[in-house]
Each structure stands twice: as structure tokens, then as C-alpha cells.
Amino acid sequence: MSTTSLPVPDRSPRLRAALLAAEFTADGLLDLLGAPAYAALARGETVPALRATRGGTPLETLVRLFLLQRPVPEDRAAAVLPLDEALADGWVVRDDGAGLRATVDVRPYGGPEGEDWFIVSDLGRSVGGAGGAGGHDAGVVLGVGGASTTLAGITVRAPVGSALDLGTGSGIQALHATRHATRVTATDLNPRALGFTRLTLALSGAPAAELREGSLFEPVEGESYDLIVSNPPFVISPGARLTYRDGGMGGDDLCRTLVQQAGDRLNEGGFAQFLANWQHVEGEKWQERVRSWVPRGCDAWIVQREVQDVAQYAELWLRDSGDHRDGQGAYEARYAAWLDEFEARRTRAVGFGWITLRKTGAEPPSIVVEEWPHAVEQPLGETVRAHFDRQDFLRAHDDAALLSGHFVLAPEVVQEQVGLPGAEDPEHVLLRQNRGMRRATKVDTVGAGFAGVCDGELSAGRILDAIAQLMGEDPVVLRDRTPQAIRTLVEEGFLEPARR
């Protein structure tokens, strides 16, 4: 585990002011580097950014110092930083006559309301791109990556009294939580991660969080929260070589344990949101596997976003840790160990996705497990919240109540007709969402006509009666066979209960 001491955050407001004055922000980086170099930097490729920062301006100096981890001349650093304080507090050190170098990675990060934030992490670990971002350092603390921004985007952002970031890492989830939670607690098994979270919050000008060391829910035993978020070390691997990614339990047991134990730590109405991996085991439906994880008293929405066969999965994470650079023999041995582990567990593939719980105690619980590998629109927090609101509505309305209800077409829904050019009638009609999950669903003539006239004025039953009259159908038969289709359109967000 890395033992390098971390900077002292006590005087970080002056450093923050200096960074902002030089426009060392997410927008400033994009303007300086241009889109191609900016995107390359997010993949862990630094050559384009190095070429774009050869001029020696204050912003270029900061990019080279804190993002590219290159020594910079001391006079240039002194022109942009409160240098005596930065040296005394440990943000930079003198590098044997080569100038100054940074001791940590500082990456500008734009908040959801345009906040200028900074994520502090270990050098060279800011982005989990291919090629060994993790290395072999078991205690490394990573910065912003795709998984952490995904979790931040799907999190429900309602104002809450208390929030828990479990496995905080460099603190990005805790940072987001400070915007809408009165009290934020962040935990991690790695004490170094807690130190980075403290730096991230301080340098971002955010309120401090309560930091606790320990595994899973042990540091908060007996406490409960309105919001729990976790981007845990979910990788299913043989052993626990790397703290930042390997769960240290067999198979997907860490994710299962985390989800199962979350129910007792949630306040009524509270949300728990996780990223997770789960095994696809021979002879077992993956949906039933993850469904069994849902604790009593909770509704759940589980979305599988990606599936990889075991060979792809092993290769991805062996490259993440840089094992492919250790020589062919060592690489093949580790690769074989991964495949041996999967074979012993009869695992044929690994799924990745989102798990959201909501504490309700309602019966029957709503547990939706689905596969959705298609593009979505982030942020999705409001979409997640609305999903559970719709489950409450459907649970409280039987078919008769549904037909008495009034509905409106969601504002982002459009209709598409698919068929051969010149054909009198379409082969089928689609309703498509342009926001949120961006779902599409096929509807028949009745469904399309029903959705098209839902403006909240007429009840569902009266609309169906009118459609039956136009189509020459028996209105009783139409009322009997349509409620399930209405339920599906409501559940998937195409229709919304009208506010009356």
C-alpha cells in the first residue's frame, strides 16, 4: 500500500482561489486542450495534452504540474500558486533541480450546477483508462472514472437529512452529496482514501464530511440514512490483490452482502444506489440471482447495462492492473487463475449494472429486473425517482381504478410509424422517449390512439369507450383487455398520472 503522506488541507481555500484565477477548471481545460486532447486525457493518454501545453501560461503550468505530473520551473509555479504554502502543506515538492512536481493528482471536475470542483487522487490514477491505471499498488486511490460519474448521474438528488458514501475512494460521491444532504458520512477500508476525500472536499470548497474507516457497514453500525451510495470494489477476481477494485469475497458475494445489508440502514422512504457486478451461473437465471439479493421491506430497480463473457472480463481487469506488461508467462498464469476461478463457480459471464433500493415496507414489493444496454440520458436521478413513484401509483390502483384514472402523455414521447414506403398502413407503431431511459415500445392501433389523446381531461375508460365506438368494437371487451397495456405504458414512463 502506498505510504506517501498526503497534503495538508487546512489552507486549501488559498490554493483553490489560485487554481480558479488561472481558469484551471473543467471548462478552462476544454478551451485550452481542445476536444481531441481533452478526450485523450480522459482515456489516460497524455501526449496530445503535452503538445497543447508548451506555452508556459499559468493554466498550461497547472495542467502540466497537476494533471500530467511533469516537473515545472519554480518561477512559473510561483507566478500562479501560493508557493510557500503549497510547499509547506505538501501539494508540491522540489525535484532535485528539475523544478517542482506535484505530490497528488488534482483534476478539475464540473458540478451539476456549474460548480468548479476538484478531485484529488494518487498520481497517475485520475482516470481508469486501459493500460494499467491501477498498477500493482494495492492501496492506490483512483480519481474520476466512468463508473464514478455513472453512479453520480443516476443518484436521486432530493434534499435529505443524511447521506452515506460507502467506499468513498477519492470522494466524488460524498462531494455530490454535500449539495443536498445536511449530514454526509463517508467510509472506506483504506485510510488513505479518507485522506483524499478530505482533500477533495476542502479544495472544492464543499462542507466537510464525517470520515470513518472500516469495511462495508461496520463503521456505521446501528445508524441509518436517507441516502446510501456506493461504487464498491465489485470486480469478481481470484483473490483481493487491489483494494480499490477487488471485493475480497468469493464471486459476487461482496455486492450481494452490500445490497442485502442496506435495507436495515435505510430510513423509511430512503434510497440506496449501487454499481455492481453479478455472475451468470450455468443453470441459473441471472435475474433470479440478483432478485434474491433485495432485502425485505424494499422496492428495487435493477438494470443490467453490460454482459461480458469470462474471457473478456478477465482481459479487461488484467489490463486495468497492468498485468499484461509483466511478461507473457506471468500474464498467462494470472489469466489462467481467473478462468480457473470462474470454472469452479460455473460462471459463464459477468453482468454489470445499477441497483437501486427504496425502503417502503409496502406489500407486495415492486422488484423490477431488466436488461437495458442502450444509450440513456444522464443525469438520471429524476428518472429513477419517477420510476418508484409510478410503482407506488400502480400498486395502489387495481384495473377498475386504472380505468377511472386520468393520464397524460409524457412530454418527451414521440410516435414513429414503421413500414414500407408508400404503404397505406404502417407495419407497426412505436412510442419513443427522447429523454431519460430513451425507451421504445411497440403499440397497436388502440394503444397508439389511446396514448395520443391522453391529455388529462378524459378518464382512461371513457377514452377506450370512444375508441371502441370508432373501431366498431365491443367497449366491454376493450375495457377488459386494455388495463395491462396501460400499466406497461405507465410503468415504463410513457404515460403519467394526471395531476388534478
Side-chain angles (χ1 to χ4, degrees):
M1 179 177 292
S2 177
T3 57
T4 306
S5 60
L6 298 182
V8 177
D10 299 347
R11 293 185 286 187
S12 55
R14 284 201 62 196
L15 177 59
R16 171 178 170 80
L19 300 181
L20 295 179
E23 298 185 355
F24 187 61
T25 64
D27 289 341
L29 277 184
L30 182 58
D31 290 342
L32 171 67
L33 301 180
Y38 189 84
L41 192 61
R43 298 190 301 268
E45 298 292 345
T46 59
V47 173
L50 283 168
R51 293 175 62 85
T53 55
R54 292 175 290 185
T57 67
L59 179 54
E60 290 169 323
T61 297
L62 292 176
V63 171
R64 286 195 164 231
L65 181 64
F66 286 118
L67 289 186
L68 305 180
Q69 283 98 54
R70 299 303 173 97
V72 300
E74 186 165 333
D75 60 336
R76 290 186 182 176
V80 65
L81 294 174
L83 188 55
D84 289 343
E85 292 180 4
L87 283 165
D89 293 346
W91 294 94
V92 297
V93 294
R94 291 186 170 91
D95 188 21
D96 297 331
L100 296 177
R101 61 177 178 85
T103 61
V104 291
D105 185 300
V106 178
R107 181 163 298 261
Y109 176 74
E113 300 296 331
E115 300 94 341
D116 290 316
W117 288 341
F118 300 95
I119 309 299
V120 188
S121 63
D122 270 313
L123 292 171
R125 315 301 185 181
S126 186
V127 178
H136 300 307
D137 190 344
V140 68
V141 177
L142 300 185
V144 180
S148 54
T149 55
T150 293
L151 179 59
I154 67 172
T155 299
V156 176
R157 296 297 174 191
V160 295
S162 58
L164 170 65
D165 176 13
L166 192 151
T168 187
S170 57
I172 179 174
Q173 309 305 329
L175 179 59
H176 276 276
T178 61
R179 293 184 63 251
H180 62 101
T182 303
R183 176 174 62 90
V184 177
T185 302
T187 70
D188 206 287
L189 181 64
N190 181 1
R192 187 174 176 81
L194 299 177
F196 275 115
T197 295
R198 182 180 292 109
L199 293 172
T200 289
L201 296 176
L203 195 57
S204 297
E210 184 177 359
L211 306 177
R212 301 188 191 179
E213 181 181 346
S215 177
L216 297 176
F217 289 103
E218 292 173 0
V220 294
E221 186 66 34
E223 300 179 34
S224 60
Y225 297 85
D226 301 312
L227 174 67
I228 299 171
V229 292
S230 182
N231 176 19
F234 53 67
V235 176
I236 300 171
S237 61
R241 294 171 57 215
L242 301 176
T243 304
Y244 75 91
R245 68 166 207 194
D246 298 328
M249 297 184 183
D252 52 18
D253 282 355
L254 183 136
C255 290
R256 174 185 57 80
T257 300
L258 182 61
V259 174
Q260 288 179 335
Q261 293 182 355
D264 291 336
R265 273 75 180 184
L266 277 178
N267 295 328
E268 188 71 16
F271 286 92
Q273 299 187 258
F274 314 100
L275 301 185
N277 275 176
W278 44 78
Q279 297 165 234
H280 286 225
V281 177
E282 184 178 352
E284 175 185 271
K285 292 183 178 180
W286 72 266
Q287 295 93 334
E288 294 306 315
R289 183 179 189 87
V290 293
R291 182 186 295 271
S292 71
W293 295 359
V294 178
R296 290 179 60 86
C298 290
D299 292 342
W301 186 19
I302 300 169
V303 182
Q304 179 167 274
R305 294 288 290 157
E306 184 179 359
V307 181
Q308 291 183 309
D309 64 51
V310 293
Q312 290 177 305
Y313 189 81
E315 291 162 13
L316 169 68
W317 294 110
L318 287 169
R319 286 186 173 273
D320 171 83
S321 57
D323 287 311
H324 61 302
R325 296 173 174 170
D326 288 349
Q328 190 66 19
Y331 175 72
E332 290 179 355
R334 292 196 179 103
Y335 198 149
W338 283 67
L339 297 185
D340 288 344
E341 176 78 6
F342 288 130
E343 184 175 350
R345 296 182 176 277
R346 303 187 354 265
T347 300
R348 297 294 175 259
V350 177
F352 166 80
W354 318 325
I355 298 177
T356 300
L357 307 177
R358 185 187 57 165
K359 185 71 168 287
T360 64
E363 291 293 341
S366 167
I367 302 176
V368 177
V369 183
E370 63 175 318
E371 185 165 16
W372 190 254
H374 311 293
V376 300
E377 181 191 46
Q378 287 277 34
L380 270 175
E382 180 58 25
T383 298
V384 173
R385 184 203 57 76
H387 166 89
F388 287 93
D389 287 348
R390 294 193 299 270
Q391 300 308 310
D392 285 342
F393 174 85
L394 292 172
R395 186 161 39 205
H397 288 73
D398 59 16
D399 287 355
L402 209 62
L403 292 174
S404 298
H406 296 246
F407 299 93
V408 296
L409 190 68
E412 73 276 6
V413 174
V414 296
Q415 177 178 300
E416 297 178 1
Q417 296 184 347
V418 181
L420 294 174
E424 184 175 346
D425 296 312
E427 293 180 13
H428 57 264
V429 177
L430 291 177
L431 298 181
R432 185 180 300 278
Q433 300 168 349
N434 289 323
R435 304 291 302 275
M437 294 293 285
R438 293 178 171 163
R439 298 184 188 275
T441 188
K442 187 187 296 186
V443 293
D444 60 14
T445 303
V446 173
F450 180 86
V453 298
C454 278
D455 60 4
E457 292 299 320
L458 297 177
S459 69
R462 290 186 63 186
I463 292 174
L464 291 176
D465 291 343
I467 292 174
Q469 185 175 5
L470 286 172
M471 298 181 64
E473 291 198 28
D474 185 336
V476 175
V477 173
L478 194 59
R479 278 175 172 255
D480 285 345
R481 68 179 173 87
T482 305
Q484 183 53 50
I486 297 175
R487 285 187 181 277
T488 299
L489 291 175
V490 172
E491 181 175 17
E492 295 187 347
F494 292 95
L495 294 178
E496 300 174 351
R499 297 178 180 178
R500 297 178 63 81

